Amino acid sequence: MTTPPPSATEEPSAPAARTAAPSGARPAPWVRTRLRAARAGSVLAAVLAFVAVLLAAALPRAQDRGADQALRSFLQRGGPGYTSLLATAPPQEGAHGTDALDATRAALLAHTGGSFHVDPDTVVYGTWTVKGRALVNPGLAAPSGLPPVMRLLYLRDARAHVRLVEGQWPSETPAAGTAPAARGAADDGPPLRIALSQRAARTIGAGLGTVLTTSPAPGGGPRAEVVGLYTVPDESEDFWVDLGCLAFACEYHQGENSYWAADALVGAADLPRLDGWSSTAEDFWRLPVDTGRLRADRLGATRQDIASYVTGPVSAELLTQTGREMLRTNSRLPELFTQAKARSQAAAPLAAIGPAGVAGVALVVLCLAGALAADRRESELRLLLARGGSRAGIVARLLGEGAVTVLPAAAAATALAVLTLPTPRLAASLLSAAAVTLLALLAFPVRAALLLSPPRPAVRWRRPVAELLVLIAAGAAVSEVRRRGVAPAGSDTDPLLIAAPLLLALCGGLLLARLLPLVTGVLARAAGRSRGLVGFLGLVRAARGPGAAARGRSGPSVLPLIALLLAVTTGGFGAAVLASVDAARLAAAHRTIGGDAVVSPVGAGSLPDALVQSAARLPGVRTSAAVWSDDDAFVQGTAEGRTRVTLVVAEPAAYAALSRGLGCGAFDPALLGGGTGSADAPVPALFSAGLARKAGPGTYALRPGPGGELRVRTAGVVGCTPAPSGPGGETVILPAGPATASIRGGVQPNRWFALGPVDGDRLRALTRAARPAPSAAPSAPASSRPPAPSQPAAGQDPRARPAAGAKPADERYLVRTSAEYVAELGADPLQGSAERLFWSCVAAAAGFALLAVLLTLLRTVPERAALLARLRTMGLRRRQGVALILAEALPQTLAAALGGALAAAVAVALLGPAMDLSTLVGATAPTGVRLSAAAVLTPALGLAALVAAAVLLEAATSGRRQITTELRAGDQR
């Protein structure tokens, strides 16, 4: 008689195997035999562990890389001038050569290299004159009658960054008979030899060999001779940052007047004579900190080291080492570090929503996989226990099985994450990977241990108590969020606040698990009254759950439902946050620009009528308005006595259409009518809400900035206006026409606003075509000239980059569009990193949720195949079998999708008002997340469609083969 081989579910226990084995024969190893008997399950377990551990190890590293990139981009946004240490000191008496500069540079570099690094090749140092001198040569360009201003600089190794095109480089050897001028004394020696930018020389009207004279000073003014002309091959090179106007001449504005500023280079030979140029020469060393090595996790230590370098122990030590008692070091880095830390703290909770969601779904899926594996092998485990195996021994063998499949997959996943996402930090990644590995390893053995435990009396209060605890935790988290906000200022991320959306989703899942059997039962009874049986059978099985009677369960499994609900809620809530960010960016762009496009003159001036008319005809312009605005107007007679306002003069109908289209301060243009009567009649005016509270109805005196006075009466109140308000924050709108034509200087438009998808490049091309001819350079009579400036305008840093207070000669009109402003706000890596991380986590959560549904379907394959086989013998067609599978699986999917969307909406309503999105927006934004139906429903419907497609595919591909097998073999269960 031949003994059939034991089935996979009836393997003998270890003692029994040893008894049955022949003498001298060694029994097959348990783990190898078990893994060979279930190859597909072992591979699936390894793949699941690999994916879960890969995500667990990769997410912390991705967050670290995003934080580092955001920090470096934020610091580099302002250029090397913002991320440098600038040391300055008066020239040392008797040590005017380059050796003293080199020695101080070496001492400064010796104290770097700890938490921050400075590349020695990037250090820029030399001597400059802090103040400039006005050049009084006849024939030099003098717009508005103001003479050009020049500063002199000596830059170490400057020749390596320029190209000499004419003349020679200033000598490095002092001329015979030349002696250094006493500090502060007039220099009456030979002219200083300078090299001037070819562009700057052409702009101010100087040439090779020109001797530039300055305003007279006691004992004679200093002079400079242009001995060489150079060009700068790369004007964007970091070497030229914060060195003034060395590459080209800059145009500065002083009120309505303008003047040129051009800086020149001197050689080492004239280095001792720079004091004679403006009596304010000083040595400087600019040390650019290598931001590419800065790390977000060490920002605190770096800030302490920089502070010590600027005003702490290192600074005091440098005074002794260099012998310069007046050595001072300044840097904006401590301030920027503080801002970067605040940005990181504000964005961290929002960036953690996605990872928290995928972690929750992955946890559910791993627990579900362990539970399904234990249920599938329950009969085998109970048989081993009945044949003498101990519960501890069985669990140990199951741990061995898991170790063979899980540990290699986890190690490979961790190594892949470390190699593909390089970052110096390993601890968080390794801890996350270890936690997920441990969960994947213990899920099945722990579930098996519970199954093999002695039966205990059923306790009905355990599930309600657990659900009540979840509800209490969710309520506490929500109340804490609404009380403190998501990211209180100066605080780190609170895990409870991050978990609030997940707790709400969990509450929704538990509630849905209670209601779904009841609802599907009602639907099943309704379907039972119809002629077809497919819908009735599918809904009945959905209400009971697969195998519910055999396992004593009264409904479907809760875990797949919770996985789907967590994925949908996380996606919907995060999508609502991102939709609010996009809307807030557009609102900030409209608020800043005053519409979708704006054109304004650089400095004082007006817009030509031809430019305004041509711009209004551009494609995409729906509404446009040309206005005249003045930020220096005052209203007399308010509660404060005198209130500074921004005066806006515009054509009422066009400006009203602009306000209405922008949704900012809509008004009836008829309110500004009636201003064309007698000369003494007050002009109708619209007051901003704040000014109306200070003034109230009545007639007031308005004094525009150019001069004069108008009598205005309050015709209405507007909450806001497209034209941005000035420093006062209050606005007065007047109608353009005869009533306002008497304002001194005229009211020619100086702002043009438009709504619509305007192409910024076409608008700039239009403004360049309308650019007026360059102003001539003839000198005005001496009696009519304003006082010549000896330095840039008040408040202007003489070492600032030209863009800070000057402009190249070919820029006359400034063009800004809302699309470009929105793109600029969204270009912040901190925002981009948080958004990319969120969508990646949403995709991962959706994948895990889909896997939870598929695991549930695979668990019920034998039972479903047997049912379909029986029904096939009764005449069930193949299409009806597929419909039966869909009717069984889709109610839970649709319920989870709709429940998740509802949970996301509830989370937005409860948690949204406490969220400050300013950091993600990139500008000041109103606090709160707005509920968007599209943002909430899109992830829900997308996941529902994905799950339905997966169920349909599984039913269509595997159903026929399984039914055929059942019909041939019969029911052996």
Side-chain angles (χ1 to χ4, degrees), residues 566-967:
L566 285 175
V568 174
T569 303
T570 301
F573 183 77
V577 172
L578 295 180
S580 299
V581 168
D582 292 338
R585 284 178 184 164
L586 184 58
H590 285 163
R591 184 173 60 251
T592 302
I593 294 175
D596 288 319
V598 62
V599 179
S600 59
V602 177
S606 60
L607 300 177
D609 293 337
L611 174 60
V612 172
Q613 295 172 6
S614 300
R617 292 193 295 267
L618 283 176
V621 176
R622 297 194 305 266
T623 302
S624 65
V627 306
W628 178 79
S629 64
D630 174 28
D631 292 337
D632 294 325
F634 291 88
V635 174
Q636 304 288 340
T638 64
E640 299 175 349
R642 185 186 184 198
T643 302
R644 185 175 182 178
V645 299
T646 296
L647 175 59
V648 178
V649 179
E651 199 281 319
Y655 199 70
L658 179 68
S659 300
R660 184 169 53 254
L662 193 59
C664 180
F667 64 92
D668 185 1
L671 294 174
L672 295 180
T676 59
S678 63
D680 297 334
V683 181
L686 298 178
F687 284 10
S688 60
L691 180 61
R693 288 192 296 268
K694 299 174 184 177
T699 302
Y700 297 91
L702 175 66
R703 293 184 178 178
E709 183 173 304
L710 290 176
R711 295 178 63 240
V712 297
R713 61 176 176 85
T714 307
V717 179
V718 292
C720 62
T721 61
S725 300
E730 307 297 348
T731 308
V732 174
I733 304 174
L734 298 181
T740 54
S742 59
I743 295 178
R744 184 179 300 175
V747 289
Q748 291 297 322
N750 57 10
R751 299 287 188 276
W752 178 81
F753 300 97
L755 289 179
V758 184
D759 188 349
D761 293 335
R762 297 189 62 174
L763 188 56
R764 288 186 180 89
L766 192 65
T767 59
R768 284 192 293 269
R771 184 177 62 232
S775 58
S779 300
S783 60
S784 63
R785 289 188 182 181
S790 60
Q791 61 183 27
Q796 174 65 40
D797 184 358
R799 295 185 295 269
R801 302 186 68 175
K807 65 179 188 303
D810 58 352
E811 293 185 10
R812 288 294 182 268
Y813 302 108
L814 177 64
V815 175
R816 303 185 72 186
T817 64
S818 61
E820 294 170 348
Y821 190 80
V822 168
E824 180 182 342
L825 292 178
D828 188 351
L830 182 66
Q831 307 160 10
S833 174
E835 188 171 346
R836 288 191 301 271
L837 183 64
F838 166 75
W839 286 119
S840 300
C841 291
V842 167
F848 276 116
L850 179 62
L851 182 60
V853 176
L854 293 179
L855 287 175
T856 306
L857 289 176
L858 291 176
R859 171 65 184 93
T860 59
V861 163
E863 179 184 355
R864 187 170 63 248
L867 173 65
L868 293 177
R870 298 188 187 102
L871 293 177
R872 283 289 297 274
T873 61
M874 302 178 187
L876 183 74
R877 294 190 296 272
R878 182 182 179 186
R879 290 184 179 180
Q880 291 177 319
V882 173
L884 176 62
I885 297 174
L886 292 177
E888 177 185 349
L890 289 186
Q892 188 180 46
T893 301
L894 295 177
L898 296 179
L902 182 60
V906 171
V908 171
L910 294 178
L911 307 177
M915 289 192 169
D916 185 4
L917 302 179
S918 297
T919 300
L920 289 181
V921 172
T924 302
T927 301
V929 177
R930 295 188 301 178
L931 182 60
S932 173
V936 171
L937 291 178
T938 299
L941 297 180
L943 184 58
L946 183 64
V947 172
V951 171
L952 180 62
L953 181 64
E954 192 275 338
T957 55
S958 62
R960 184 175 182 179
R961 176 176 54 82
Q962 294 163 355
I963 293 173
T964 303
T965 302
E966 289 290 336
L967 289 176

Side-chain angles (χ1 to χ4, degrees), residues 9-179:
T9 59
E10 295 183 358
E11 293 187 11
S13 62
R18 285 193 297 268
T19 303
S23 176
R26 186 176 181 182
W30 168 275
V31 174
R32 185 185 67 185
T33 304
R34 192 63 191 86
L35 294 180
R36 284 182 176 180
R39 289 186 175 90
S42 302
V43 172
L44 289 177
V47 170
L48 178 60
F50 179 85
V51 174
V53 174
L54 178 63
L55 286 175
L59 283 178
R61 301 182 70 80
Q63 287 179 315
D64 289 343
R65 288 167 58 87
D68 290 343
Q69 182 184 6
L71 171 65
R72 295 162 186 169
S73 176
F74 173 72
L75 295 177
Q76 294 169 357
R77 185 182 303 175
Y82 284 80
T83 59
S84 298
L85 300 167
L86 180 60
T88 58
Q92 288 180 311
E93 295 292 339
H96 292 279
T98 58
D99 293 340
L101 295 174
D102 295 341
T104 304
R105 168 186 175 272
L108 292 171
L109 288 174
H111 290 273
T112 63
S115 61
F116 68 95
H117 300 262
V118 176
D119 186 356
D121 295 334
T122 62
V123 178
V124 180
Y125 64 106
T127 305
W128 58 27
T129 57
V130 177
K131 296 181 180 180
R133 301 278 306 193
L135 306 178
V136 297
N137 294 57
L140 295 183
S144 306
L146 295 177
V149 175
M150 178 173 286
R151 292 190 312 128
L152 300 183
L153 298 89
Y154 168 75
L155 294 179
R156 192 73 161 139
D157 299 328
R159 295 189 64 175
H161 302 272
V162 301
R163 183 170 60 89
L164 190 66
V165 294
E166 193 174 353
Q168 60 184 354
W169 195 257
S171 175
E172 301 292 327
T173 305
T178 302

Side-chain angles (χ1 to χ4, degrees), residues 229-607:
L229 299 177
Y230 63 85
T231 59
V232 178
D234 184 8
E235 296 178 2
S236 63
E237 188 181 3
D238 292 344
F239 180 85
W240 303 105
V241 171
D242 290 347
L243 293 181
C245 306
L246 288 172
F248 52 81
C250 306
E251 184 179 8
Y252 287 93
H253 289 272
Q254 197 169 32
E256 296 185 358
N257 301 316
S258 61
Y259 62 93
W260 294 109
D263 299 337
L265 294 173
V266 301
D270 290 326
L271 187 57
R273 303 175 58 197
L274 287 184
D275 262 342
W277 182 259
S278 64
S279 304
T280 54
E282 68 177 8
D283 297 338
F284 72 94
W285 299 263
R286 193 187 73 212
L287 287 73
V289 174
D290 187 0
T291 56
R293 297 189 181 186
L294 296 181
R295 290 167 44 180
D297 63 318
R298 300 182 60 185
L299 193 58
T302 307
R303 179 169 48 198
Q304 292 179 358
D305 291 345
I306 293 290
S308 175
Y309 200 98
V310 173
T311 58
V314 175
S315 176
E317 188 176 350
L318 284 172
L319 296 179
T320 304
Q321 291 181 354
T322 61
R324 296 176 181 264
E325 298 180 355
M326 298 297 294
L327 181 66
R328 296 291 181 267
T329 305
N330 297 306
S331 178
R332 292 195 60 184
L333 281 174
E335 176 187 350
L336 293 178
F337 288 162
T338 301
Q339 296 176 8
K341 181 65 174 178
R343 283 162 43 88
S344 176
Q345 289 176 338
L350 301 178
I353 292 176
V358 72
V361 179
L363 174 64
V364 172
V365 170
L366 290 176
C367 293
L368 177 63
L372 294 179
D375 291 344
R376 178 173 57 86
R377 296 178 60 181
E378 182 178 0
S379 58
E380 170 197 347
L381 298 177
R382 293 192 180 280
L383 179 61
L384 292 175
L385 187 65
R387 289 185 175 183
S390 66
R391 187 173 61 169
I394 294 174
V395 170
R397 292 180 181 274
L398 296 181
L399 280 174
E401 292 181 25
V404 173
T405 56
V406 171
L407 293 184
T414 305
L416 180 62
V418 171
L419 293 176
T420 56
L421 296 172
T423 181
R425 297 178 287 281
L426 278 173
S429 179
L430 294 180
L431 287 176
S432 300
V436 175
T437 302
L438 188 62
L439 178 62
L441 187 62
L442 295 180
F444 177 31
V446 169
R447 175 63 177 173
L450 294 177
L451 286 176
L452 299 179
S453 299
R456 290 177 296 180
V459 181
R460 296 182 176 272
W461 54 265
R462 289 179 181 174
R463 180 176 176 181
V465 169
E467 293 173 346
L468 182 61
L469 291 177
V470 172
L471 182 62
I472 293 175
V478 170
S479 62
E480 190 70 6
V481 168
R482 295 180 66 88
R483 184 180 68 86
R484 293 173 45 193
V486 173
S491 64
D492 292 326
T493 304
D494 190 342
L496 181 63
L497 304 183
I498 296 175
L502 301 182
L503 290 174
L504 289 175
L506 184 58
C507 290
L510 296 176
L511 178 62
L512 198 60
R514 291 282 190 180
L515 297 178
L516 186 59
L518 301 178
V519 175
T520 51
V522 172
L523 295 177
R525 287 191 293 271
R529 291 191 287 269
S530 62
R531 297 181 58 184
L533 294 178
V534 174
F536 171 74
L537 289 176
L539 291 174
V540 167
R541 288 177 57 81
R544 294 175 53 200
R551 289 185 294 274
R553 221 169 42 209
S554 60
S557 175
V558 179
L559 290 180
L561 188 66
I562 291 178
L564 287 170
L565 207 88
L566 285 175
V568 174
T569 303
T570 301
F573 183 77
V577 172
L578 295 180
S580 299
V581 168
D582 292 338
R585 284 178 184 164
L586 184 58
H590 285 163
R591 184 173 60 251
T592 302
I593 294 175
D596 288 319
V598 62
V599 179
S600 59
V602 177
S606 60
L607 300 177

